[in-house]
Each structure stands twice: as C-alpha cells, then as structure tokens.
Amino acid sequence: MWTKESLDALVREKLSDYLFVVVSNREPYIHTFSGKKINVEIPPSGLTVALDPVMQACGGTWVAHGSGNADKRVVDKDNKVSVPPANPRYALKRVWLSKEEEIGYYYGFANSALWPLCHIAYTRPVFVESDWNTYKKVNEIFAQSVIDEIGDRKAFVFIQDYHLALLSRLIKERNPNIITAQFWHIPWPNPEAFRRCPWQEEILSGLLGNDLLGFHIRHHCNNFLETVERAIEARVDRERYQVTFKGKRTAAWPFPISVDFEAISREAASKEVAAEMRMLKARLGLGREMIGAGLDRLDYTKGIPDRLRAMDRFLEKYPRYRKRVVFIQAGVPSRIRIPQYKRLNEEIDELVEQINWKYGVGEWKPVIYLREHLPPTTLMALRRLADFFVVSSLHDGMNLVAKEYVASRFDEKGVLILSPFTGAARELTDALLINPYATDHFAEAIRAALEMPREEQQRRMRKMREVVRENNIYKWAADIITELVKFGSGE
Ligand code: F6P
C-alpha cells in the first residue's frame, strides 16, 4: 500500500539528484483580495486536488498560471510563494498572462476547442486561428519559465493536461537532457473525432516530445495510438504501447488517477465535519428527509441537467417520495465567459425552478441548488449527509468526485450512482451504473438507491473503499515516478 511516507522515501531514493517540477495551467492555491485582506482559495480542480499531496510529499517547484487578483502581491522576486500556506512544503512559481493571452489560450483554444473535441458531449469545438497562435505563444511562455527555474540542474518535469500540449517539445528543444512526462487528465477521443482539429499534427508532435505520456484508462491510450497511426508518420508499437517519432520514443500508458484516501477518510470522521453536518442541515432547513447530492464544477460534460431530469421523472413516477427526498446540487461556476457555459447555467436554473414549482409544497422544495464555492468542510459534510450521491457525467476522464465520496464514507453507508462514461466506472464497479441519457432508467436507479438495504450498501461501499484505498494518489504518483526514473537511467 502506497502512503505519503513511502512516496517520500521513493522520491528521496530515486529523485534526490533531480529537481522535480510540476507544470499545469491551474494553480493549487489562489490568492485573492477580500477588501484589504488576502484570502487563499483552493480551486475546484481534480488535477490540483490530486497533485497537491504528491507535491507535499515530493517537494520541488510547481509552475502554474497566477490567476488570483492578489497572486502578484505575495510572490518573491522569482515569482514564487511557498505553499501550502499553513505548512510550506514546496514552491509555487507563477506565470503571468495578459487578458488577451488568457482569452486566446485558456478560454479559446484549450476550452473552446480541445475540451469539447476530447469530450463526446455533443458540444461543437470552435477552432480559431488566432486562439491557436496564442496557445502556441503561451506554451512558449511556460517553457521559458520552466527552463529558467531548472537552470543547469538535472530535472524531471511533470506536465499536466491539454493546456500545455506543446510544452515538452519546447522544453527539449532548449535542453534535451530534461526528462518529461505528461498526464492527459481528460479523455482522448477516437481518431475520427480528433481529426476535426486543424492542428492535430502539431499537437501530436508536441506531445511526442515527452518520454512518458499518461492517460487514465487503456482505452484512451488505444485511441491515442490510433490517432498517431492515422495522422502522422510514426512507428507505433501496440505491444509495448510506444511510439517512435523523429527518432524519439514515447511510452503511452494508463495510470488511473486517484485521491488521498486516508486523509479524506480521516477528515470525514472529524468533529468539525460532524458539527458542520448539523449546521448545514439547519441552514438548509432539512428535517428527516433522505438526501441525494451532486457536487460538480458547472460544466456541460457533467450531465447536471440530465440528473435533474431524472429527479423530475423519479418524483413524477413515485409520488410517495414527495416531501421525503431532497436533492442538493452544489455547483462551482466555471469558465463562465464561454457561451456554452452560460447557457448551461441558464438551463440548470430553469430546471431547478421548474421541478421545485412542480413538486414543492409550501416552503418545502425537492431541489436545493447551491451555486457557490463551498469550503472543504462543507463539501465533506455534504458527502457524509448524502444517502445517495450522483456522478452522471456524459464523458469524463476519471471523475475524482466519485472517489472522494467513497473515501468520505468511513461509515460504509450511502450509494454511489455513477455514469459508465467516466474513467472511475472501470474501478468502482460496485456503484449503481446508470446511463445519464436514459432518464427512466436513471430515475429507477434513484429509487433503487433509496430502497437499497443497509447490508447491500455496506457490502458495495466496503468493496469500493478497498479499491480506492489501494489505488490511491500515492500509488498513481509512485507508478509514474518509477517509470520516469527508468528514462533517467537510460533503461
Ligand atoms: O481535469 C481537467 C481539468 O480541466 C483540469 O485541467 C482543471 O484544473 C480542472 O479540470 C478544472 O478546470 P479549470 O482549471 O478550467 O477551472
């Protein structure tokens, strides 16, 4: 079983001569002004939640976009700040982008082109040449920041996600001795879908600058290899899951990401969370109702309207549950400058209003919608209160929210309703699997969850907890680091 301590020992043994650098668009800690005070926010990002404990164990530097309005105020002359603020373990180095760069690179090419291209959620990708040019420029900015940080030291650079597809090649052009790995946190679609991207060759060439490329599941590796085979002249070795391109070898392997199981389990059992559960119930005016919950970044890939439609159908079909079940949807606003995200927000507002009008009685409403950034203790309390918990993504690389729910239920109670279109469904086979597009079948799963005997809940939850306990975030990091050091030793 991998733990923070054993990962720390692995890093000491294998990486002691190297500087460990993580690079991502999103930063793990965001400093913002609240009047004259400076607050630290933790963003709603599976990526940062997963990697922060790894960095706390490994030490080193995390390079990311400084997106908070107080970020510049707290850094030193090298644009660095030590984090976590309460107990510093590593350096966060911030990269500054202008508004134009953020629009073209983040809102534009990354989230209006690559995101919908890679998620089959029927949202059309938008390809704009100037966005692509800004994306290239911003990848150059990140490359320079990484190169400056490393200087002439030996280094492993661990790049995150689709915002930085060109980064490894740019780094290697400047210093070929740096070892790079990249983890693609979202799905990789089939070659037919990916070829819609007018710059697919450049993206593949950029990614094949890496020594190691990680995906959540083998299916995404297969899609990637097929895309390479069809799009560029490269040698693909299906046995070893490797590509040779321009004389360089890249391994494309699955590494299912996870969470810090023990820390979440421990925190869920704390007195603070128990007190927060009582306060939250009082604040939301909850009595003896059974509780369903969903916690998501407000993204059209998460299937939030679909789960609200299932709730509607459930209450229509089973009137005996009216006034007996409440569904709490917590949603953190995200990428709201993109039109599809604005429309999603409107759609959710309308559905919530409609369901509450249809089934509400007096003050009582079946859906409580919290469209805000909730603190970690409140999120934990919500997971603990949820008799059933819904993850209904239309498409999702992994979905760590599902694993967080399982890790929080140390009491072995509660039912996870999970979409098979998430990477997590490959591991959490004891969840109730639903097709989010099939509303009636989804509504039936809600009934089945509410009526599931305690023993069955316990049996399923226990098995899922075993899976997440063993395949935790430290194992994910250790597996990647173990492979990465082989490149350093020339194996
Ligand atoms: O996991 C996919 C991802 O896009 C991460 O890269 C990102 O941090 C997270 O979702 C949240 O999105 P954003 O950083 O755009 O708020």
Side-chain angles (χ1 to χ4, degrees):
M1 186 92 72
W2 282 96
T3 61
K4 195 172 210 157
E5 291 69 37
S6 54
L7 178 66
D8 186 61
L10 176 83
V11 169
R12 263 176 236 253
E13 185 197 337
K14 306 274 190 193
L15 296 187
S16 54
D17 294 348
Y18 290 83
L19 173 67
F20 188 59
V21 183
V22 162
V23 198
S24 69
N25 170 69
R26 183 62 65 205
E27 54 182 346
Y29 298 92
I30 306 179
H31 289 88
T32 53
F33 284 115
S34 155
K36 283 200 172 135
K37 234 179 98 214
I38 293 181
N39 287 339
V40 183
E41 278 177 21
I42 296 179
S45 150
L47 178 164
T48 55
V49 165
L51 272 153
D52 180 57
V54 173
M55 279 304 275
Q56 290 195 37
C58 298
T61 307
W62 186 329
V63 179
H65 171 216
S67 57
N69 58 12
D71 275 358
K72 277 198 177 145
R73 181 64 71 83
V74 297
V75 293
D76 64 14
K77 62 171 187 8
D78 297 319
N79 296 318
K80 287 194 208 166
V81 57
S82 296
V83 289
N87 177 23
R89 303 286 307 215
Y90 64 93
L92 171 60
K93 181 179 186 200
R94 286 172 169 150
V95 168
W96 312 116
L97 300 177
S98 67
K99 274 272 145 49
E100 289 69 32
E101 284 161 350
E102 198 180 340
I103 291 168
Y105 142 83
Y106 173 77
Y107 290 105
F109 194 70
N111 286 313
S112 298
L114 282 179
W115 180 267
L117 180 72
C118 291
H119 289 91
I120 311 299
Y122 306 97
T123 297
R124 190 187 163 123
V126 181
F127 298 108
V128 179
E129 182 127 12
S130 59
D131 287 351
W132 166 242
N133 289 332
T134 311
Y135 181 87
K136 288 195 282 188
K137 182 178 167 207
V138 170
N139 271 250
E140 294 268 0
I141 296 173
F142 271 92
Q144 197 51 53
S145 175
V146 172
I147 290 291
D148 293 345
E149 175 64 11
I150 294 172
D152 49 17
R153 288 180 280 184
K154 282 164 81 176
F156 283 109
V157 178
F158 187 20
I159 304 164
Q160 310 303 315
D161 237 348
Y162 58 99
H163 312 85
L164 302 168
L166 311 176
L167 188 59
S168 68
R169 188 161 293 284
L170 295 169
I171 291 175
K172 297 258 189 178
E173 276 166 15
R174 291 162 167 85
N175 181 348
N177 296 324
I178 296 174
I179 296 162
T180 68
Q182 182 151 6
F183 194 79
W184 193 262
H185 290 257
I186 62 175
W188 190 281
N190 66 53
E192 268 310 302
F194 201 78
R195 68 192 274 241
R196 264 111 190 148
C197 176
W199 303 287
Q200 66 162 344
E201 289 89 350
E202 288 91 327
I203 289 173
L204 292 171
S205 161
L207 288 172
L208 292 171
N210 283 292
D211 299 294
L212 179 64
L213 199 47
F215 297 92
H216 289 297
I217 55 175
R218 193 165 288 281
H219 180 62
H220 299 156
C221 300
N222 285 328
N223 280 347
F224 178 76
L225 295 185
E226 266 177 52
T227 308
V228 169
E229 259 170 351
R230 299 238 204 132
I232 56 177
E233 272 194 39
R235 193 153 49 81
V236 174
D237 180 340
R238 294 289 196 131
E239 291 268 302
R240 294 194 181 84
Y241 279 77
Q242 285 177 356
V243 177
T244 308
F245 178 62
K246 294 185 176 161
K248 176 175 174 31
R249 207 184 54 180
T250 303
W253 293 336
F255 298 95
I257 201 167
S258 194
V259 293
D260 188 345
F261 178 88
E262 297 296 345
I264 295 177
S265 233
R266 213 173 29 245
E267 207 203 310
S270 69
K271 283 203 198 91
E272 293 73 35
V273 170
E276 181 66 15
M277 286 165 73
R278 287 191 293 275
M279 283 193 300
L280 193 61
K281 277 188 89 169
R283 196 164 84 224
L284 301 179
L286 296 173
R288 297 166 61 88
E289 296 100 328
M290 297 179 88
I291 297 173
L295 307 177
D296 307 80
R297 200 167 47 73
L298 291 170
D299 195 292
Y300 54 80
T301 59
K302 304 292 179 190
I304 301 167
D306 307 77
R307 82 182 62 147
L308 292 171
R309 279 192 280 271
M311 231 5 240
D312 184 358
R313 182 71 186 116
F314 164 76
L315 291 169
E316 186 175 65
K317 211 167 159 190
Y318 299 107
R320 65 177 186 274
Y321 277 108
R322 295 182 195 169
K323 287 195 82 176
R324 288 179 53 210
V325 182
V326 168
F327 187 73
I328 306 172
Q329 175 63 51
V332 189
S334 169
R335 308 174 191 169
I336 42 173
R337 276 164 198 91
I338 299 176
Q340 286 88 344
Y341 286 76
K342 281 202 191 108
R343 281 204 287 279
L344 171 76
N345 279 290
E346 288 160 11
E347 189 183 1
I348 295 174
D349 286 346
E350 269 171 36
L351 279 164
V352 171
E353 195 277 326
Q354 202 177 308
I355 298 170
N356 282 342
W357 172 78
K358 217 163 141 188
Y359 306 106
V361 183
E363 287 278 274
W364 187 86
K365 292 187 177 90
V367 179
I368 299 176
Y369 180 34
L370 308 170
R371 188 178 181 278
E372 59 193 294
H373 196 126
L374 296 168
T377 317
T378 312
L379 294 177
M380 195 64 93
L382 206 44
R383 288 192 282 264
R384 290 269 335 267
L385 285 173
D387 297 299
F388 69 97
F389 190 84
V390 183
V391 172
S392 53
S393 308
L394 305 181
H395 202 188
D396 218 327
M398 174 52 71
N399 195 294
L400 291 181
V401 172
K403 291 189 173 179
E404 282 170 335
Y405 177 62
V406 169
S408 320
R409 297 315 300 246
F410 65 91
D411 55 357
E412 299 178 335
K413 289 182 185 153
V415 180
L416 175 64
I417 298 182
L418 180 63
S419 160
F421 311 125
T422 59
R426 313 273 163 139
E427 294 171 79
L428 304 178
T429 49
D430 280 283
L432 285 186
L433 294 180
I434 50 93
N435 177 348
Y437 293 91
T439 309
D440 271 88
H441 151 87
F442 195 161
E444 272 312 310
I446 295 175
R447 188 193 53 78
L450 289 168
E451 293 174 7
M452 188 182 285
R454 274 273 180 266
E455 306 73 57
E456 186 178 347
Q457 287 187 24
Q458 191 179 47
R459 184 177 53 73
R460 287 173 181 261
M461 189 55 84
R462 197 173 277 172
K463 280 206 201 148
M464 291 193 286
R465 284 176 64 77
E466 272 316 302
V467 170
V468 184
R469 174 181 286 124
E470 187 160 329
N471 300 301
N472 60 33
I473 188 62
Y474 300 111
K475 177 174 187 312
W476 176 81
D479 287 349
I480 292 178
I481 289 170
T482 307
E483 292 306 330
L484 212 50
V485 288
K486 291 185 187 160
F487 294 98
S489 62
E491 262 181 58

